[in-house]
């Protein structure tokens, strides 16, 4: 449990130490992500639920019986298997593909003084750090490749950048097929969206939610004559009226401030639009645990939108009703919410006795495959 608690404490301490040493946010960004990389890489092979499949697949592939994963992931697994019999090196490569793009994604897309916000949310949101690096690692690894593509998309609107992004999506799909849904990102980034369109999008999401996403998936599966496990998935544990109300309030607030948030730069507008899309998608994802995994990718890609909310009133471009200290209040709400979310998640795991994630175990305390050679 100590490691769980220290996660957030370390992020906060790293931030203040970097400020005290006048080394700025660069020291914080590197040290905090390196710390998270260390935890994720050197964990016990028993941590996580889906994660155990990757461990078994690695060792069983040496006997010629690999799992039914995408060809790109199996190819990487075979290469590592030929170099070393130890799974730790597979984990090192996986996490390098996750954390190096995440480092540059935050560095390139977020104002330096708000880097701590993105790292804090990533570490405190269990579905971002714990689930994405302990469980759905194939999906997150593919997302790391897509992050590079999003950086390219935001540099300049051109067919060349668009084609590069599509090529990276194709590469990511060799790791996890689910990343094909991220082909919608260029539409979100390049299209001239406005608040009215996003309001209509919210209405559509609420209607689909009322009908039932699983019912729609079942209907489409019947027409196309394929069997979809997504239709049989249960609701997410977060599918609760209070949580849904909180998401709705945030969505409406962003719509109210949409003009202020999107007029300063094309990059800010792109991330706000991506954030709104992810929140619409969240409304649907809460009703289907499998679809919620797809939402996690949009949630991580939308991280740079949160600092836009905090920084929007610094340039004196605020219109409409404005509350004194609104930016600081909003920042306080985000920090408090994710801290409560994190503590609640730990407490929940303890209550149900889910030892797959609680507490952390490391290679040298549990795994029979301790050797690095």
């Amino acid at each position: 449990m100590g490691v769980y608690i220290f996660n957030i404490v370390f992020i906060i301490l790293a931030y203040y130490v970097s400020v005290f040493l006048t080394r700025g946010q660069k020291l914080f960004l590197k040290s905090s992500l390196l710390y998270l990389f260390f935890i994720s890489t050197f964990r016990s092979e028993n941590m996580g639920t889906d994660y155990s499949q990757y461990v078994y697949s690695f060792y069983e592939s040496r006997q010629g019986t690999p799992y039914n994963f995408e060809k790109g992931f199996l190819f990487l697994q075979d290469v590592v298997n030929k170099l070393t019999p130890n799974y730790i090196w597979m984990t090192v490569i996986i996490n390098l593909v996750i954390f190096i793009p995440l480092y540059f994604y935050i560095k390139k897309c977020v104002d330096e003084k708000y880097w701590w916000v993105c790292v804090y949310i990533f570490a405190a949101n269990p579905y971002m750090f714990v689930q994405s690096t302990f469980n759905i690692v194939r999906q997150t690894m593919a997302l790391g490749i897509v992050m590079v593509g999003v950086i390219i998309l935001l540099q300049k609107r051109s067919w060349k950048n668009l084609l590069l992004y599509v090529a990276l999506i194709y590469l990511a799909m060799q790791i996890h097929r689910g990343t094909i849904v991220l082909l919608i990102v260029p539409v979100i980034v390049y299209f001239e969206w406005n608040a009215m369109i996003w309001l209509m999008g919210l209405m559509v999401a609420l209607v689909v939610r009322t009908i039932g996403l699983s019912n729609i998936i079942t209907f489409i599966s019947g027409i196309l004559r394929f069997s979809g496990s997504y239709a049989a998935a249960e609701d997410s544990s977060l599918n609760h009226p209070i949580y849904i109300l909180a998401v709705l309030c945030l969505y409406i607030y962003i719509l109210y401030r949409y003009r202020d948030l999107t007029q300063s730069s094309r990059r800010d507008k792109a991330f706000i639009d991506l954030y709104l899309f992810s929140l619409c998608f969240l409304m649907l994802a809460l009703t289907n645990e499998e679809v919620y995994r797809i939402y996690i990718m949009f949630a991580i890609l939308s991280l740079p939108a949160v600092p836009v909310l905090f920084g929007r009133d610094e340039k004196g471009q605020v219109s409409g009703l404005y509350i004194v200290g609104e930016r600081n209040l909003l920042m306080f709400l985000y920090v408090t919410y994710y801290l409560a979310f994190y503590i609640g998640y730990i407490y929940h795991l303890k209550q149900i006795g889910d030892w797959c994630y609680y507490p952390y175990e490391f290679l040298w305390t549990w795994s029979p495959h301790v050797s690095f050679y």
Side-chain angles (χ1 to χ4, degrees):
M1 182 174 180
V3 178
Y4 265 108
I5 297 174
F6 191 65
N7 273 353
I8 303 303
V9 173
F10 179 85
I11 299 301
I12 296 172
L13 286 177
Y15 172 71
Y16 281 107
V17 167
S18 65
V19 172
F20 177 76
L21 296 177
T22 66
R23 295 295 299 275
Q25 293 276 3
K26 291 182 180 179
L27 174 63
F28 163 74
L29 187 60
K30 291 177 181 177
S31 60
S32 57
L33 288 183
L34 185 62
Y35 169 74
L36 296 177
F37 169 83
F38 178 86
I39 291 177
S40 181
T41 300
F42 297 101
R43 63 184 178 272
S44 166
E45 293 173 357
N46 299 320
M47 292 294 98
T49 50
D50 288 2
Y51 180 70
S52 60
Q53 298 180 25
Y54 301 123
V55 178
Y56 296 148
S57 173
F58 180 82
Y59 291 119
E60 289 182 12
S61 66
R62 302 181 68 83
Q63 310 301 322
T65 55
Y67 273 54
N68 185 30
F69 294 139
E70 285 81 357
K71 292 181 180 179
F73 187 83
L74 291 176
F75 173 76
L76 174 63
Q77 182 176 260
D78 290 341
V79 170
V80 176
N81 241 323
K82 287 180 173 59
L83 297 175
T84 173
N86 198 298
Y87 185 77
I88 180 62
W89 296 110
M90 184 72 179
T91 313
V92 168
I93 294 173
I94 289 173
N95 281 287
L96 284 175
V97 177
I98 293 172
F99 281 95
I100 291 178
L102 180 62
Y103 169 79
F104 285 104
Y105 192 65
I106 295 174
K107 185 178 179 182
K108 296 285 187 182
C109 301
V110 180
D111 188 283
E112 182 175 333
K113 63 183 175 182
Y114 291 118
W115 287 350
W116 70 270
V117 174
C118 294
V119 176
Y120 172 79
I121 293 176
F122 180 79
N125 185 339
Y127 289 95
M128 287 191 184
F129 174 57
V130 177
Q131 287 281 10
S132 65
T133 63
F134 278 47
N135 199 20
I136 55 172
V137 295
R138 209 161 27 97
Q139 190 169 326
T140 315
M141 184 181 178
L143 179 62
I145 298 172
V146 177
M147 284 183 190
V148 177
V150 176
I151 294 173
I152 293 172
L153 278 180
L154 293 173
Q155 287 179 346
K156 182 182 179 182
R157 292 190 183 187
S158 67
W159 283 107
K160 178 183 177 181
N161 288 350
L162 181 59
L163 289 174
L164 281 173
Y165 179 81
V166 173
L168 287 171
I169 287 287
Y170 178 77
L171 177 62
M173 287 177 61
Q174 308 312 304
I175 306 296
H176 193 282
R177 288 186 293 269
T179 48
I180 191 173
V181 300
L182 298 179
L183 283 172
I184 198 173
V185 172
V187 179
I188 299 170
V189 170
Y190 288 167
F191 191 77
E192 294 300 326
W193 303 90
N194 57 53
M196 185 56 65
I197 294 177
W198 285 120
L199 180 59
M200 293 171 60
L202 176 62
M203 296 299 104
V204 171
L206 291 175
V207 169
V208 173
R209 177 183 171 83
T210 303
I211 297 172
L213 181 61
S214 294
N215 293 332
I216 294 175
I217 294 175
T218 302
F219 177 74
I220 296 175
S221 299
I223 294 176
L224 299 180
R225 297 183 179 180
F226 67 85
S227 175
S229 60
Y230 283 77
E234 298 179 350
D235 288 4
S236 166
S237 57
L238 294 174
N239 192 27
H240 189 278
I242 295 178
Y243 183 73
I244 296 166
L245 179 61
V247 174
L248 273 173
C249 289
L250 174 60
Y251 194 97
I252 292 170
Y253 173 79
I254 295 174
L255 284 183
Y256 177 69
R257 292 297 184 196
Y258 187 83
R259 180 169 174 269
D260 303 323
L261 297 171
T262 58
Q263 65 182 349
S264 59
S265 72
R266 185 175 68 86
R267 187 185 69 178
D268 287 354
K269 185 179 187 307
F271 283 120
I272 290 297
D273 288 336
L274 189 59
Y275 198 22
L276 287 171
F277 176 85
S278 72
L279 293 176
C280 268
F281 195 85
L282 174 59
M283 291 291 186
L284 308 179
L286 289 172
T287 64
N288 190 296
E289 187 67 45
E290 292 294 324
V291 176
Y292 192 86
R293 294 185 174 203
I294 298 175
Y295 161 74
I296 293 173
M297 293 193 292
F298 286 109
I300 295 176
L301 286 180
S302 302
L303 274 175
V306 179
V308 178
L309 298 180
F310 298 160
R312 70 166 172 77
D313 62 316
E314 295 178 348
K315 300 177 182 179
Q317 298 176 334
V318 179
S319 61
L321 179 65
Y322 177 69
I323 303 173
V324 176
E326 183 177 320
R327 177 169 62 93
N328 292 332
L329 175 61
L330 190 62
M331 190 180 300
F332 172 78
L333 289 174
Y334 264 91
V335 171
T336 304
Y337 165 74
Y338 280 107
L339 181 60
F341 191 5
Y342 188 74
I343 294 173
Y345 183 80
I346 298 171
Y347 179 75
H348 173 69
L349 292 180
K350 183 177 181 181
Q351 288 296 105
I352 65 176
D354 188 349
W355 299 104
C356 287
Y357 297 110
Y358 177 90
Y360 288 159
E361 293 284 354
F362 292 93
L363 284 169
W364 45 86
T365 62
W366 187 282
S367 174
H369 305 282
V370 178
S371 173
F372 281 35
Y373 303 98

